[in-house]
Amino acid sequence: MQEKVIVVTGSSGALGKVVVENALVRGARVAGIDHAAAQIAPAPQRIEFGGVDLTDAAQARKVIDAAASHFGRLDALVNVAGGFAFETVAEGDPKTWARMYALNVTTALNTSRAAIPHLLGSPAARIVNVGALGALQAGSGMGAYAASKSGVHRLTEALAAEHKGRITVNAVLPSIIDTAANRESMPKADFSKWVTPQELAEIILFLASDAASAVTGALIPVAGRV
């Protein structure tokens, strides 16, 4: 991935940080985007944009344009930004459905639409989304989240079909990711069976690499050791 320019959304989160770190180790130049305030000073290989609301199409376009302008081009977009909610359909807040759609689908939609004009200038353009294994068959309390992540899956397939031969578009579908927040919310779980951020980042960056040129429209389950 030497000198490739990669945009990573949700770059301050548990998974986003690991994706950024691994991309930098591989020689990529990385622009991180997050809703949280930027905490990293600009460096030759890295820039971070904080305080960005990617549910706003205008903000998404502005920051993607800024990232492409900073590095001179854009080769890959990794959509990690998203959100999670656990509540039943009957007892949950109806607003949760709109919030999950906005955080998971609208963010990926806005950044993808903003990035496509830049990606079309790359000989090996990539978009990698983060879906969810739980969206293949939703369990109790997973309705709003699973429905929104299913939207990410359909967005991935549609973009892959629309840009076949020009941009590869794929999604990883993790089960439970081994993060501090998930350990705190499920303290009795067997953490050794969960997918680590490092494992997931390896797959994401493979899909963003030249080696994955023949893979597009794929929804790749990452189930851990269950």
Side-chain angles (χ1 to χ4, degrees):
M1 306 194 76
Q2 195 69 31
E3 294 303 306
K4 287 191 177 295
V5 176
I6 301 176
V7 167
V8 179
T9 72
S11 58
S12 295
L15 175 58
K17 284 181 179 179
V18 178
V19 172
V20 170
E21 290 166 1
N22 278 262
L24 290 169
V25 167
R26 287 164 170 77
R29 293 179 288 171
V30 183
I33 303 172
D34 205 278
H35 192 266
Q39 299 179 354
I40 304 297
Q45 296 296 111
R46 180 177 186 178
I47 189 169
E48 186 172 313
F49 299 92
V52 182
D53 180 4
L54 293 176
T55 67
D56 183 306
Q59 287 192 45
R61 185 168 300 280
K62 182 178 180 180
V63 73
I64 293 291
D65 287 349
S69 176
H70 179 82
F71 287 119
R73 70 173 197 271
L74 179 58
D75 298 299
L77 168 66
V78 179
N79 283 312
V80 179
F84 176 78
F86 184 89
E87 58 184 40
T88 63
V89 174
E91 298 175 354
D93 187 342
K95 293 180 181 178
T96 298
W97 290 73
R99 182 166 61 89
M100 286 295 96
Y101 187 91
L103 292 176
N104 292 318
V105 183
T106 304
T107 57
L109 171 64
N110 287 343
T111 53
S112 295
R113 292 183 67 181
I116 284 169
H118 301 289
L119 291 171
L120 289 173
S122 171
R126 309 280 186 259
I127 296 176
V128 185
N129 296 322
V130 177
L133 194 62
L136 299 181
Q137 183 173 356
S140 175
M142 299 288 285
Y145 174 75
S148 67
K149 284 296 189 179
S150 181
V152 174
H153 300 176
R154 303 292 81 80
L155 172 64
T156 299
E157 293 167 337
L159 284 173
E162 291 171 10
H163 297 281
K164 190 172 183 179
R166 298 178 295 173
I167 304 171
T168 69
V169 189
N170 298 288
V172 293
L173 280 54
S175 56
I176 302 172
I177 304 174
D178 189 1
T179 66
N182 283 338
R183 287 191 177 210
E184 183 177 353
S185 65
M186 293 173 275
K188 296 182 180 180
D190 184 351
F191 308 144
S192 68
K193 294 184 177 180
W194 291 357
V195 178
T196 69
Q198 178 65 34
E199 290 170 329
L200 197 51
E202 294 278 354
I203 298 169
I204 288 171
L205 292 175
F206 165 73
L207 292 172
S209 73
D210 290 344
S213 60
V215 184
T216 194
L219 306 176
I220 301 174
V222 187
R225 288 152 292 279
V226 295

